[in-house]
Amino acid sequence: MKLKHILESQQFTVPMLMELFERTNQMKKIVARGGTRDYHNKIMCNLFYQPSTRTRFSFESAMHRLGGSVISTEQATEFSSEIKGEMLEDTIQIISNYCDAIVLRHGEEGGAKRAAAVSPVPIINAGDGSGGQHPTQALLDLYTIFNECHSLDGLSVAFVGALDYGRTARSLAYLLSKFERVKLYFIAPEETQIKQDILDHLEEKNVSYELANSTQSFLSKVNVLYQTRIPRERLLNQDMDLSPFYIDSASLQKMKSDSIVMHPLPRSVEINPVIDTDPRAAYFRQAQNGLFVRMALLTMLFDTD
Amino acid sequence: MKLKHILESQQFTVPMLMELFERTNQMKKIVARGGTRDYHNKIMCNLFYQPSTRTRFSFESAMHRLGGSVISTEQATEFSSEIKGEMLEDTIQIISNYCDAIVLRHGEEGGAKRAAAVSPVPIINAGDGSGGQHPTQALLDLYTIFNECHSLDGLSVAFVGALDYGRTARSLAYLLSKFERVKLYFIAPEETQIKQDILDHLEEKNVSYELANSTQSFLSKVNVLYQTRIPRERLLNQDMDLSPFYIDSASLQKMKSDSIVMHPLPRSVEINPVIDTDPRAAYFRQAQNGLFVRMALLTMLFDTD
Amino acid sequence: MKLKHILESQQFTVPMLMELFERTNQMKKIVARGGTRDYHNKIMCNLFYQPSTRTRFSFESAMHRLGGSVISTEQATEFSSEIKGEMLEDTIQIISNYCDAIVLRHGEEGGAKRAAAVSPVPIINAGDGSGGQHPTQALLDLYTIFNECHSLDGLSVAFVGALDYGRTARSLAYLLSKFERVKLYFIAPEETQIKQDILDHLEEKNVSYELANSTQSFLSKVNVLYQTRIPRERLLNQDMDLSPFYIDSASLQKMKSDSIVMHPLPRSVEINPVIDTDPRAAYFRQAQNGLFVRMALLTMLFDTD
């Protein structure tokens, strides 16, 4: 299955996800063998209008493990010294001459779609605006669950943190709704709960869900605890006790032996580093999966059929 | 023909230009086949004292398509955390140990020549000062005309914009003067007209030219319309009506069917994007030629005979 | 001999240094032949919390000459746009998934050791804090002396400059103390003389040394004159005449015909460029050795036995 662009997680059907995951498994093996040179004649461009070294490194490493080359900027706003605010469309039409795929991080929602409309080479959306998409993060999250839990059907997944603007939680909830007998928990300070549009979507898809403001009664129930940050500046009561949302050794004792804790990273205080050595702490494996998933996505863009 | 350094467009004789264009045609074919690995043991260094992502990407892509490696900085002024204002000569003598060619963008006119005086590896001038040279831009412009018009003799070329400090227009006018029966038009607000030194040079070479302040009467005559920006802050009357210098669909209707519109990019309002799809809009092809010309130049620097 | 990490110059025993120098000699030959592709499946990451283009370029060139790939940032403090001050340990655990070695420049003394404690891939300390280590600089300095003087036993070496916080002088003095019949001179304005801890170490190792405040009487005696900067802001009397510490043609006339002048670069006024063409001016060769030594160190980290 050939992909043209990677713009939003919604574009992936279940068969596409399964092909992606199969390719991702292959990439794991390829990396273990030292990578491949198969894509040595491909150039990937990182066109970042905002710095995000983590995401940039993940894509660059993926491209190098495939044998390809990279050109990169994290200051695309200063793309030209002459004209501030050059049209994104012009930049894309120029840059597309210099590479075989463009990884775009743009400040405005819809930036990736505008780029794709004029680009002769694949556009990969690496985040467009705070309300926008970051589909490769959602895909690596889903792959991590698939890989750790061996299935995506019948899972109980709790999202914890400030979920209203939580791009990762929103996208992953959306993707999980494609699978059978999924149960979702949204655990957040009330004023930062998941937005109604996601809940409407879940109801439409007959996915059962529950809202709560403490992890306590859910720790023993979930297969996946997806932890995210709670910025204090987002809270009505900035002195609020946030410990019901934090994870430590005591929390882990209540969790199933085959459950996992995920986090998109970087973390702040919401996961105590003492649990890092517990096999259920899956967040560093999750970061590593970012490499394999991005390699797999690049091959799906590059392979001609 | 082996090149030692690329410092200024004047260094290129007509036979050298013809060899460059022949190599550039070869590079086009090589890129269409997915590039070459022939220069895999070469390292190119981008030493930029000012950011210019567009030029940097073009050179990096050229090097990667040749199979080579790149080391790069756009903040060479912060080259050392210890000493501000280290001598360019010292920097070049150190960096030249780490690469096989240095692409230098420097803030001061003559920077490239100073670098070349001490460098054991080729220096490519990628712009030195606002009054300085940017020879690879001039060469890709000339190649574009050659490639689109199939000849450089007998052409009518109009330069439009603020031409007095227009490095691209000045360099290209100089290069075109080497060819037969060329006719040049300089169309600019009076206070930004092309400088007398270029006109003196054209007279010496018996190149006919004309000055004007509107494109109107020239649109039907030219083979090439070379459009550049007019920064309002440069004008005596900042409310001046600049529409006589701008290009849109109506302008194009008056132009020959085999003429072309060029622009060094980025553009501002002087070219209406509605004409982008017209086959005569050559500016994105011009940007692409930057890749092929730079590849060709690199091979002329690297090849030992 | 396999290295796990490169954290401080003290970790190198004399046999390890000799193996390093032998490998360095091999790397010189490999570069003369155009490099190798042997490490094409390795990725090196430059994780710099402070810019240091010179050191970064040296490592990147080394990796490319070995056939490998590089991912790089000089703004690791902005590693995440979300959380300022992410734990170094977390960053390392994530980045180590994307590469086979991490070259770390960190702002805090001990940063490299903290990174090594959690990293599954080798950490190379490229400077950690002003009081910290920069072992690859010390190793390339020692190799340069070895290569130029053909031995490390029986040498007279003068260090000149502000030596108290001079990381290079301190580390090199330490390494030289491992060899036989070495004689060291420390020539500095009194308030910036080498610190007592180094002198204590030299006494413990029975290395003879002398302190002075002018190079004059030592020029004829030394095999190596290791010149460093004297920042005026460090001096009690900022109008002090520093010419007794500076090197020019007159100084060189007093030096042995087979002696050498070294400098970690960048230089300021302490070495007059007129001596650059004298064969005893070894500082640019020293910079070049940085490439070969770093290549050798990378192979010692990558080779499995």
Side-chain angles (χ1 to χ4, degrees):
Chain A
M1 198 172 301
K2 173 106 172 85
L3 280 174
K4 198 163 172 210
H5 301 287
I6 298 169
L7 301 180
E8 52 184 21
S9 49
Q10 295 96 301
Q11 80 184 75
F12 286 83
T13 61
V14 171
M16 286 166 77
L17 290 169
M18 290 304 120
E19 176 176 340
L20 172 63
F21 294 167
E22 201 182 297
R23 279 188 188 241
T24 301
N25 286 335
Q26 288 167 16
M27 293 303 138
K28 244 185 207 176
K29 288 177 200 156
I30 283 172
V31 169
R33 290 197 305 260
T36 173
R37 301 290 303 157
D38 283 359
Y39 300 86
H40 72 266
N41 61 3
K42 298 294 184 190
I43 300 174
M44 184 190 82
C45 174
N46 275 321
L47 186 66
F48 279 40
Y49 285 79
Q50 302 163 328
S52 178
T53 310
R54 187 185 308 270
T55 302
R56 178 168 70 83
F57 273 6
S58 174
F59 273 108
E60 294 192 6
S61 180
M63 194 61 188
H64 289 310
R65 294 290 188 214
L66 292 171
S69 301
V70 175
I71 59 178
S72 216
T73 183
E74 284 194 336
Q75 313 181 54
T77 43
E78 296 181 27
F79 195 76
S80 164
S81 51
E82 293 166 54
I83 297 187
K84 298 301 165 201
E86 186 193 12
M87 281 193 304
L88 174 63
E89 282 81 359
D90 274 17
T91 302
I92 294 293
Q93 282 179 92
I94 294 164
I95 295 302
S96 59
N97 291 306
Y98 306 148
C99 62
D100 303 292
I102 296 172
V103 180
L104 177 70
R105 164 152 314 210
H106 199 253
E108 291 167 36
E109 198 173 332
K113 280 191 185 174
R114 282 172 52 204
V118 298
S119 179
V121 303
I123 299 292
I124 303 173
N125 187 356
D128 56 347
S130 55
Q133 286 267 341
H134 188 20
T136 63
Q137 177 70 44
L139 294 169
L140 77 88
D141 286 345
L142 193 70
Y143 173 78
T144 299
I145 299 175
F146 175 77
N147 189 248
E148 301 269 339
C149 303
H150 311 295
S151 170
L152 290 162
D153 296 320
L155 290 178
S156 293
V157 179
F159 294 96
V160 186
L163 303 177
D164 49 350
Y165 290 106
R167 188 160 57 177
T168 48
R170 289 173 53 84
S171 295
L172 185 52
Y174 185 94
L175 283 177
L176 284 167
S177 76
K178 294 173 184 279
F179 295 89
E180 305 294 322
R181 291 165 290 110
V182 166
K183 170 102 196 198
L184 303 183
Y185 306 101
F186 299 101
I187 301 163
E190 207 174 327
E191 61 267 45
T192 65
Q193 255 299 5
I194 193 89
K195 287 187 181 164
Q196 190 58 39
D197 63 331
I198 295 290
L199 302 181
D200 289 348
H201 174 77
L202 296 177
E203 278 170 27
E204 195 186 308
K205 303 277 278 185
N206 279 316
V207 177
S208 66
Y209 65 86
E210 210 169 307
L211 306 185
N213 59 13
S214 166
T215 59
Q216 279 310 311
S217 47
F218 304 98
L219 290 168
S220 63
K221 295 183 184 171
V222 298
N223 304 101
V224 177
L225 185 77
Y226 196 104
Q227 190 74 348
T228 66
R229 288 192 314 127
I230 305 174
R232 282 210 174 263
E233 63 274 21
R234 301 280 323 283
L235 300 174
L236 293 177
N237 169 13
Q238 302 209 355
D239 297 325
M240 183 180 176
D241 174 21
L242 292 175
S243 61
F245 302 97
Y246 293 169
I247 301 296
D248 59 12
S249 305
S251 327
L252 228 62
Q253 280 182 351
K254 297 183 188 131
M255 291 180 68
K256 296 183 190 183
S257 64
D258 61 353
S259 64
I260 57 170
V261 178
M262 294 175 69
H263 193 296
L265 300 177
R267 68 174 150 189
S268 179
V269 294
E270 64 276 6
I271 296 183
N272 192 322
V274 297
I275 73 160
D276 288 1
T277 51
D278 191 291
R280 290 170 290 181
Y283 29 89
F284 290 125
R285 296 194 294 276
Q286 182 184 356
Q288 187 181 34
N289 287 335
L291 173 68
F292 307 131
V293 167
R294 286 172 178 129
M295 287 175 73
L297 288 168
L298 286 168
T299 67
M300 288 172 82
L301 293 170
F302 290 142
D303 291 357
T304 45
D305 53 285
Chain B
M1 200 172 301
K2 174 108 170 85
L3 281 174
K4 197 161 172 210
H5 301 288
I6 298 170
L7 301 180
E8 53 184 22
S9 48
Q10 294 96 302
Q11 80 184 78
F12 287 82
T13 61
V14 171
M16 285 166 78
L17 290 169
M18 290 304 119
E19 177 177 339
L20 173 62
F21 295 167
E22 201 182 299
R23 280 189 187 239
T24 302
N25 287 335
Q26 287 167 16
M27 293 303 139
K28 245 184 207 176
K29 289 178 200 155
I30 284 171
V31 170
R33 291 197 305 260
T36 174
R37 300 291 302 157
D38 283 0
Y39 299 86
H40 72 267
N41 61 3
K42 298 294 184 189
I43 300 175
M44 183 190 83
C45 174
N46 275 321
L47 187 66
F48 279 41
Y49 285 79
Q50 303 164 327
S52 179
T53 310
R54 187 186 307 269
T55 302
R56 179 168 70 82
F57 273 6
S58 174
F59 273 108
E60 294 191 7
S61 180
M63 194 61 188
H64 289 310
R65 293 292 187 213
L66 293 171
S69 301
V70 175
I71 60 178
S72 216
T73 183
E74 284 193 336
Q75 312 180 55
T77 43
E78 296 181 28
F79 195 77
S80 164
S81 51
E82 292 166 53
I83 297 186
K84 297 300 164 200
E86 186 194 11
M87 280 195 303
L88 174 63
E89 284 80 0
D90 275 17
T91 303
I92 294 292
Q93 282 178 92
I94 295 164
I95 295 302
S96 59
N97 291 307
Y98 306 149
C99 61
D100 302 291
I102 296 172
V103 180
L104 177 69
R105 164 151 316 208
H106 198 254
E108 291 167 36
E109 200 173 331
K113 280 190 186 174
R114 283 171 52 205
V118 298
S119 178
V121 303
I123 299 291
I124 303 172
N125 186 356
D128 57 348
S130 53
Q133 286 268 342
H134 189 20
T136 63
Q137 177 70 45
L139 294 168
L140 77 89
D141 287 345
L142 193 70
Y143 173 78
T144 299
I145 299 175
F146 176 77
N147 189 249
E148 300 269 340
C149 303
H150 311 296
S151 171
L152 290 163
D153 297 320
L155 290 179
S156 294
V157 179
F159 295 97
V160 187
L163 302 177
D164 49 351
Y165 291 105
R167 189 161 58 179
T168 48
R170 288 173 53 84
S171 296
L172 186 53
Y174 185 94
L175 284 177
L176 283 168
S177 76
K178 295 174 184 279
F179 296 88
E180 305 294 321
R181 291 165 290 112
V182 166
K183 170 101 197 197
L184 303 184
Y185 306 100
F186 299 101
I187 301 163
E190 206 173 328
E191 61 267 43
T192 65
Q193 255 300 4
I194 193 90
K195 287 187 181 166
Q196 190 58 38
D197 63 330
I198 294 291
L199 301 181
D200 290 347
H201 175 78
L202 295 177
E203 277 169 29
E204 196 187 307
K205 304 277 278 183
N206 280 314
V207 177
S208 66
Y209 65 85
E210 211 168 307
L211 307 185
N213 58 13
S214 165
T215 59
Q216 280 309 312
S217 48
F218 304 98
L219 291 168
S220 63
K221 295 183 184 170
V222 298
N223 303 102
V224 177
L225 185 77
Y226 196 105
Q227 190 75 347
T228 66
R229 288 192 315 126
I230 305 174
R232 283 210 172 264
E233 63 273 21
R234 300 279 324 283
L235 300 175
L236 293 177
N237 169 14
Q238 303 209 354
D239 297 325
M240 183 179 175
D241 173 22
L242 291 175
S243 62
F245 303 98
Y246 293 169
I247 301 296
D248 58 13
S249 305
S251 326
L252 229 62
Q253 279 181 352
K254 297 184 187 131
M255 291 180 68
K256 296 182 189 183
S257 63
D258 61 352
S259 64
I260 57 169
V261 178
M262 295 175 68
H263 194 297
L265 301 178
R267 66 173 150 189
S268 180
V269 293
E270 64 277 7
I271 295 183
N272 191 321
V274 296
I275 73 160
D276 288 1
T277 51
D278 191 292
R280 290 170 289 181
Y283 29 90
F284 290 124
R285 296 194 295 276
Q286 182 184 357
Q288 187 181 35
N289 287 336
L291 173 69
F292 306 131
V293 167
R294 286 172 178 127
M295 287 176 73
L297 288 168
L298 286 167
T299 67
M300 289 172 82
L301 293 169
F302 289 142
D303 291 355
T304 45
D305 53 285
Chain C
M1 200 171 302
K2 173 109 170 82
L3 280 173
K4 198 163 172 209
H5 301 288
I6 298 168
L7 302 180
E8 53 184 23
S9 49
Q10 296 94 303
Q11 80 184 76
F12 287 83
T13 61
V14 172
M16 285 167 78
L17 291 169
M18 291 303 120
E19 176 176 339
L20 173 62
F21 295 168
E22 202 182 298
R23 279 190 187 238
T24 302
N25 286 336
Q26 287 167 16
M27 293 302 139
K28 244 184 206 176
K29 287 177 202 158
I30 284 172
V31 170
R33 289 197 305 261
T36 173
R37 301 290 303 156
D38 283 359
Y39 299 86
H40 72 268
N41 61 2
K42 298 295 185 190
I43 300 175
M44 184 190 82
C45 174
N46 275 321
L47 187 66
F48 279 39
Y49 285 79
Q50 302 164 329
S52 178
T53 311
R54 187 184 307 270
T55 301
R56 179 168 70 82
F57 273 6
S58 175
F59 272 108
E60 294 191 6
S61 180
M63 194 61 187
H64 289 310
R65 294 290 187 214
L66 292 170
S69 301
V70 175
I71 59 178
S72 216
T73 184
E74 284 194 335
Q75 312 181 54
T77 43
E78 296 182 27
F79 195 76
S80 164
S81 50
E82 293 166 52
I83 297 186
K84 298 300 164 200
E86 185 194 11
M87 281 194 304
L88 174 63
E89 283 80 359
D90 274 17
T91 302
I92 294 293
Q93 282 178 93
I94 295 164
I95 295 301
S96 59
N97 290 307
Y98 306 148
C99 61
D100 303 291
I102 296 172
V103 180
L104 177 69
R105 163 149 318 206
H106 198 253
E108 290 166 38
E109 200 173 331
K113 280 190 185 175
R114 284 171 52 205
V118 298
S119 177
V121 303
I123 299 291
I124 303 172
N125 187 356
D128 56 347
S130 53
Q133 285 266 343
H134 188 19
T136 63
Q137 176 70 46
L139 294 168
L140 78 88
D141 287 344
L142 193 70
Y143 172 79
T144 299
I145 299 175
F146 176 76
N147 188 249
E148 301 269 339
C149 303
H150 310 296
S151 171
L152 289 162
D153 296 321
L155 290 179
S156 293
V157 179
F159 294 97
V160 187
L163 303 176
D164 49 351
Y165 290 106
R167 188 161 58 179
T168 49
R170 289 173 52 84
S171 296
L172 185 53
Y174 185 94
L175 283 177
L176 284 167
S177 75
K178 294 173 184 278
F179 296 89
E180 305 293 322
R181 291 165 289 112
V182 166
K183 169 102 197 196
L184 303 184
Y185 306 101
F186 299 101
I187 301 163
E190 206 173 328
E191 62 267 45
T192 65
Q193 255 299 3
I194 193 88
K195 286 186 181 167
Q196 190 58 38
D197 63 330
I198 294 290
L199 302 181
D200 290 348
H201 174 77
L202 295 177
E203 277 169 28
E204 195 188 307
K205 302 277 278 186
N206 280 315
V207 177
S208 66
Y209 65 84
E210 210 168 308
L211 307 185
N213 59 12
S214 165
T215 59
Q216 280 310 309
S217 47
F218 304 98
L219 290 169
S220 63
K221 295 183 183 170
V222 297
N223 304 101
V224 178
L225 185 77
Y226 196 105
Q227 190 74 348
T228 66
R229 288 192 316 124
I230 305 174
R232 283 211 172 263
E233 64 274 20
R234 300 279 324 283
L235 301 174
L236 293 176
N237 169 13
Q238 303 209 355
D239 297 324
M240 183 179 176
D241 173 22
L242 291 175
S243 61
F245 302 98
Y246 293 169
I247 300 297
D248 58 14
S249 305
S251 326
L252 229 63
Q253 280 182 350
K254 297 184 187 130
M255 291 181 67
K256 297 183 189 182
S257 64
D258 61 351
S259 64
I260 57 169
V261 178
M262 294 174 69
H263 193 295
L265 300 178
R267 67 172 149 188
S268 180
V269 293
E270 63 277 7
I271 295 184
N272 190 322
V274 297
I275 74 161
D276 288 1
T277 51
D278 191 292
R280 290 169 289 181
Y283 29 89
F284 290 124
R285 296 195 294 277
Q286 181 185 357
Q288 188 180 33
N289 287 335
L291 173 68
F292 306 131
V293 167
R294 287 173 177 126
M295 287 176 72
L297 288 168
L298 286 167
T299 67
M300 288 172 82
L301 292 169
F302 289 142
D303 292 355
T304 45
D305 53 283

